[in-house]
Amino acid sequence: MPTPPITVVLFGATGDLSKRKLLPGLLHLFQTGLLRDLQVVGTSLDHHDRDSFVEFARAAVDEFASFEVKEDDWKEFEKRLWWAAWETGPDGLKQIVDDADAAAGGEGPRDRLHYLSVPPKAALDVVTILKEADLVSRSRIIMEKPFGVDLTSSKALNKQLHKVFKEDQIFRIDHFLGKEAAQNILAFRFANGLFEPIWHRNHIDHIQIDVPESLGLEQRASFYESTGAYRDMVVTHLFQVLAFTAMEPPTALEPFAISEEKNKVFRSMQAIDPHDVVRGQYVGYRDIEGVARDSETETFVALKCYVDNWRWAGVPFYLRTGKRLAEGARIISIAFREPPKSMFPAGSGVGDHGPDHLTFDLADQAKMSLSFYGKKPGPGMQLQKLSMQFAMRDMGWAGAVLEAYERLIYDAVRGDRTLFTSSDGIERLWEISQPLLDNPPVVRPYNPGSWGPNQIHQLIAPFAWRLPFERQWRDPDASAS
């Protein structure tokens, strides 16, 4: 449904994220009618005027838009693009925002969404400018990760933010877990009598959340040197996926109830034991410009963690992510406990291929599969692994799904906090991370195109990582499963 009138103030408007995702995304939201009453004010350290910013935005859309750009919509959209020169300071920014609001017409004040597409160290400077420009009321603010680098810094950042913005105005973005994927996990878990009763320690042996990436860090090395894979991906992304997988049923399908159940999971998580963590760095990372020749920054991390509550006591969660790995994927794999096998003869094959798995593939073309043992046709009792597979693109509405950043902008405009992290949640995640940050294990080398250091197999033994998959998805154009 269409949203109320909104003016988006885009800080870092000429940066890479804005060019690739934000400007094309805003046009798409406008073109689809979801944000039809929209004004966009851009600002950055680069020198532009309104005309040159419009040209920049059009070039970004032509290069990176994943949808057909309708010329009539573009002509209407470009009238809504404004530029506030950074050197004019808070007063100049305030004047341009007021001009944009006035040009939109309508009655009463407009809501505003401030998107901070800036380095984390610059975020508080932008917040100060917004305060001095009197642009805090009737506004929300989107902040990019990482949100602090440890418990102390995250608490300090929250304290400074709360001097200017209320907590319900702050949206800490996690573009990784899109709304469709998150809601599909909730639907699958809580709407199906087949799975809801067995979603706990009595029937689930372990859970894997695996997010390998094939891309390297040639363009982000200087940023990555101060973060690493754990801070960049695990705290902000993989733990959020874990929360949706492990949470209790919310009292309602609404943001506050869902956020509260996620925070209960975080409060139940045990501190991360450094002995349950494998850190790695791909060969060649230290040769990238901006990386120290003796860098100990991890480009890979795998870990075992526990949610110490009634539902999940004793069930390990295995998380893995890294750069320059064999392929890119986003999966959640639920391994069910194996039943007694005494009735099956030796050599029947039962247990040879590990436990039954329910696997969610959270990629853009979302898929699910359920593996189980079945009897091979013929004499005797010989078993083999079978699977059922379901692809979201089989649904007629799948093509209408918004891209991740578009979804999150749209949700923030509407005040939907389902996919955003609260100050309590992020501080708790840094709290359980502190033992690892204080005493990180040694960084081990791994070859680009591999699945990480060999020690990952010891971490998960006696079981094995689901990736790489042994069987292909039946659609030859899709990724392996």
Side-chain angles (χ1 to χ4, degrees):
M1 57 180 291
T3 59
I6 189 74
T7 297
V8 176
V9 184
L10 188 54
F11 293 87
T14 55
D16 189 65
L17 177 62
S18 178
K19 181 170 63 174
R20 291 175 177 271
K21 297 292 185 182
L22 304 183
L23 289 169
L26 287 167
L27 172 60
H28 195 211
L29 289 168
F30 175 77
Q31 187 168 287
T32 58
L34 292 174
L35 295 184
R36 199 66 187 177
D37 193 347
L38 170 69
Q39 299 285 319
V40 180
V41 176
T43 185
S44 77
L45 296 177
D46 293 336
H47 294 288
H48 278 280
D49 57 25
R50 188 176 182 184
D51 290 340
S52 64
F53 179 53
V54 169
E55 292 175 4
F56 176 90
R58 182 58 202 245
V61 165
D62 287 343
E63 184 175 0
F64 295 108
S66 59
F67 54 91
E68 180 186 355
V69 178
K70 300 176 181 177
E71 283 304 315
D72 289 345
D73 283 325
W74 169 256
K75 290 178 181 177
E76 185 62 33
F77 181 74
E78 69 177 359
K79 298 176 185 176
R80 300 160 185 267
L81 296 175
W82 301 75
W83 182 256
W86 186 259
E87 57 270 20
T88 61
D91 292 340
L93 176 63
K94 171 68 170 173
Q95 183 61 56
I96 296 298
V97 172
D98 287 345
D99 291 347
D101 287 352
E107 298 180 1
R110 294 170 63 87
D111 290 341
R112 291 156 181 158
L113 178 67
H114 307 301
Y115 197 118
L116 273 58
S117 179
V118 299
K121 62 183 179 182
L124 287 179
D125 292 337
V126 173
V127 170
T128 300
I129 289 172
L130 289 171
K131 179 181 178 181
E132 294 175 353
D134 193 24
L135 293 174
V136 174
S137 63
R138 294 187 61 85
S139 71
R140 299 186 177 103
I141 181 172
I142 291 181
M143 303 193 67
E144 283 283 341
K145 67 177 180 77
F147 199 83
V149 295
D150 54 23
L151 179 59
T152 300
S153 61
S154 67
K155 281 187 172 181
L157 182 55
N158 279 325
K159 182 178 180 180
Q160 293 300 313
L161 275 175
H162 289 155
K163 290 180 179 179
V164 180
F165 289 95
K166 298 177 181 177
E167 176 62 22
D168 62 7
Q169 292 178 281
I170 304 168
F171 288 72
R172 300 165 186 84
I173 199 164
D174 175 16
H175 68 273
F176 176 81
L177 187 62
K179 190 164 191 173
E180 291 297 331
Q183 291 186 340
N184 203 40
I185 294 170
L186 296 182
F188 199 89
R189 283 193 56 193
F190 300 123
N192 293 292
L194 178 62
F195 291 104
E196 190 280 330
I198 63 173
W199 207 268
H200 56 72
R201 68 189 187 284
N202 291 347
H203 298 283
I204 292 177
D205 183 87
H206 66 275
I207 293 175
Q208 295 181 33
I209 300 173
D210 209 350
V211 187
E213 297 182 278
S214 58
L215 298 176
L217 289 160
E218 287 74 14
Q219 308 301 321
R220 301 177 61 216
S222 58
F223 158 77
Y224 213 79
E225 273 292 272
S226 62
T227 55
Y230 185 83
R231 289 180 171 94
D232 183 52
M233 285 292 293
V234 176
V235 175
T236 52
H237 295 329
L238 272 65
F239 281 157
Q240 303 299 320
V241 179
L242 184 154
F244 273 94
T245 308
M247 63 189 279
E248 297 295 320
T251 55
L253 195 63
E254 57 89 18
F256 177 81
I258 293 173
S259 180
E260 177 57 22
E261 294 305 331
K262 286 170 56 184
N263 285 340
K264 287 180 182 178
V265 173
F266 298 149
R267 290 195 291 270
S268 299
M269 290 180 67
Q270 294 182 351
I272 305 301
D273 186 341
H275 294 97
D276 291 334
V277 179
V278 175
R279 297 166 72 231
Q281 184 186 94
Y282 68 80
V283 176
Y285 172 75
R286 295 180 182 180
D287 298 329
I288 300 174
E289 183 178 354
V291 175
R293 292 296 173 260
D294 58 351
S295 172
E296 291 295 305
T297 300
E298 80 278 2
T299 62
F300 171 97
V301 64
L303 62 109
K304 176 170 61 175
C305 60
Y306 293 91
V307 178
D308 192 19
N309 61 16
W310 184 268
R311 182 182 293 266
W312 297 112
V315 176
F317 288 74
Y318 296 98
L319 280 56
R320 176 173 67 168
T321 187
K323 306 294 185 182
R324 294 296 302 273
L325 296 177
E327 65 180 73
R330 301 176 180 182
I331 73 158
I332 306 171
S333 193
I334 315 297
F336 294 101
R337 292 193 182 278
E338 296 187 72
K341 298 185 280 289
S342 57
M343 64 178 284
F344 295 99
S348 65
V350 65
D352 287 355
H353 299 283
D356 299 339
H357 284 87
L358 173 66
T359 301
F360 295 88
D361 185 329
L362 304 180
D364 292 336
Q365 297 289 351
K367 301 181 287 286
M368 291 184 290
S369 70
L370 178 63
S371 68
F372 52 90
Y373 284 98
K375 181 184 178 299
K376 285 184 179 181
M381 180 58 72
Q382 192 67 27
L383 304 180
Q384 64 180 358
K385 260 297 172 68
L386 308 172
S387 69
M388 293 189 298
Q389 300 174 0
F390 170 78
M392 289 298 293
R393 67 179 180 183
D394 292 341
M395 306 295 288
W397 42 261
V401 175
L402 295 174
E403 192 272 341
Y405 277 98
E406 297 167 5
R407 266 192 305 267
L408 292 166
I409 291 172
Y410 180 60
D411 284 354
V413 169
R414 295 163 51 239
D416 185 338
R417 305 181 61 85
T418 302
L419 301 179
F420 297 87
T421 307
S422 68
S423 59
D424 290 344
I426 196 68
E427 288 179 10
R428 172 57 183 166
L429 292 177
W430 285 124
E431 182 181 5
I432 65 171
S433 301
Q434 204 60 49
L436 172 62
L437 301 179
D438 290 340
N439 187 29
V442 62
V443 172
R444 302 179 184 278
Y446 64 95
N447 291 321
S450 69
W451 287 97
N454 289 331
Q455 287 74 14
I456 61 172
H457 304 298
Q458 301 167 17
L459 178 69
I460 202 170
F463 299 108
W465 293 97
R466 289 282 283 151
L467 290 174
F469 286 127
E470 293 181 358
R471 291 178 300 283
Q472 301 292 312
W473 286 99
R474 295 198 181 96
D475 181 348
D477 296 327
S479 59
S481 176

